[in-house]
Amino acid sequence: DAGVTQSPTHLIKTRGQHVTLRCSPISGHKSVSWYQQVLGQGPQFIFQYYEKEERGRGNFPDRFSARQFPNYSSELNVNALLLGDSALYLCASSSGQGVGELFFGEGSRLTVL
Amino acid sequence: AQSVTQPDIHITVSEGASLELRCNYSYGATPYLFWYVQSPGQGLQLLLKYFSGDTLVQGIKGFEAEFKRSQSSFNLRKPSVHWSDAAEYFCAVALRGGYSTLTFGKGTMLLVSP
């Protein structure tokens, strides 16, 4: 069975540009969460979606947005990129909306120049 | 403020020796507790979790963790480390009754020497 898949795996952008990251959850999982992991730090929660509705949002500026599609895949969008947005962006899926086991993808590594 | 502390940034252990990685949390109530491992270029893999019940939790790859309420700690242990255990380890917590939102510590990098 396929795990959580993320694309692209690596990308380079320049300041001011925008980026879209994509995530496909494990089949049957209805919840998708996004985390940002800056080098040398633990992952930080950005968003959680369940059944296409936003269920939680971390302490990130409005430049960050996300959505979940009817097939439960998800996109994370970041506008007006800053150097500090350089990070590994992790997507995780779970079967329910409550705390259980989160299954993480391998991440999308974003470098902002 | 709620927080998770992993006081050791790096730990070096000889292969075959025992391991203990420390984790302390600061929350108003006992949260759900997790340990994840991240190998280079990989995502996070769940090692074990504590929700309730027996305070000694067994996980995958021979790891275990003990929840100590009085010390607000959830330390990870392994009796004999293998070279393949070299990775970064993250302690994480989640509020009870909430959505699946994890708060992670900063991680501990485990190096295994021959």
Side-chain angles (χ1 to χ4, degrees):
Chain A
D1 288 342
V4 177
T5 58
Q6 294 187 242
S7 64
T9 55
H10 295 83
L11 68 166
I12 300 173
K13 294 286 188 178
T14 57
R15 281 176 296 175
Q17 287 188 311
H18 83 275
V19 68
T20 298
L21 307 177
R22 296 177 177 81
C23 172
S24 293
I26 291 172
S27 177
H29 283 191
K30 298 180 179 180
S31 176
V32 169
S33 300
W34 288 95
Y35 288 79
Q36 180 197 64
Q37 186 178 15
V38 173
L39 197 62
Q41 302 289 321
Q44 264 197 296
F45 171 71
I46 310 175
F47 286 108
Q48 191 218 2
Y49 277 78
Y50 177 74
E51 288 280 18
K52 302 180 287 295
E53 289 189 9
E54 182 182 306
R55 298 293 188 170
R57 183 185 183 114
N59 188 24
F60 280 82
D62 291 343
R63 299 185 295 108
F64 289 76
S65 63
R67 55 180 175 168
Q68 187 176 32
F69 298 100
N71 66 353
Y72 302 111
S73 67
S74 178
E75 282 182 355
L76 175 69
N77 293 282
V78 187
N79 293 324
L81 285 168
L82 304 173
L83 295 179
D85 295 330
S86 296
L88 180 67
Y89 289 85
L90 295 164
C91 174
S93 75
S94 61
S95 55
Q97 64 182 351
V99 174
E101 181 170 355
L102 290 184
F103 293 84
F104 283 84
E106 294 188 356
S108 294
R109 183 161 297 282
L110 170 65
T111 301
V112 182
L113 301 177
Chain B
Q2 301 162 341
S3 66
V4 180
T5 302
Q6 294 181 248
D8 304 305
I9 299 174
H10 296 98
I11 282 186
T12 300
V13 175
S14 298
E15 190 168 15
S18 64
L19 168 70
E20 183 169 25
L21 302 182
R22 296 181 290 165
C23 173
N24 293 93
Y25 62 89
S26 174
Y27 271 76
T30 300
Y32 297 127
L33 298 157
F34 306 80
W35 275 98
Y36 281 84
V37 61
Q38 187 177 36
S39 298
Q42 304 279 323
L44 296 164
Q45 182 182 23
L46 180 68
L47 288 175
L48 46 78
K49 59 189 177 187
Y50 173 77
F51 284 6
S52 64
D54 192 346
T55 57
L56 185 62
V57 180
Q58 302 298 319
I60 63 171
K61 304 185 180 185
F63 285 93
E64 66 178 27
E66 186 172 12
F67 166 59
K68 293 185 177 180
R69 184 189 308 272
S70 62
Q71 298 177 19
S72 297
S73 69
F74 189 55
N75 293 349
L76 181 71
R77 301 194 294 245
K78 187 170 184 177
S80 177
V81 168
H82 187 262
W83 64 266
S84 60
D85 293 325
E88 190 152 26
Y89 292 79
F90 292 95
C91 180
V93 304
L95 291 175
R96 292 176 179 270
Y99 296 104
S100 47
T101 300
L102 295 174
T103 299
F104 286 87
K106 292 186 176 182
T108 298
M109 179 65 72
L110 173 64
L111 306 174
V112 180
S113 62

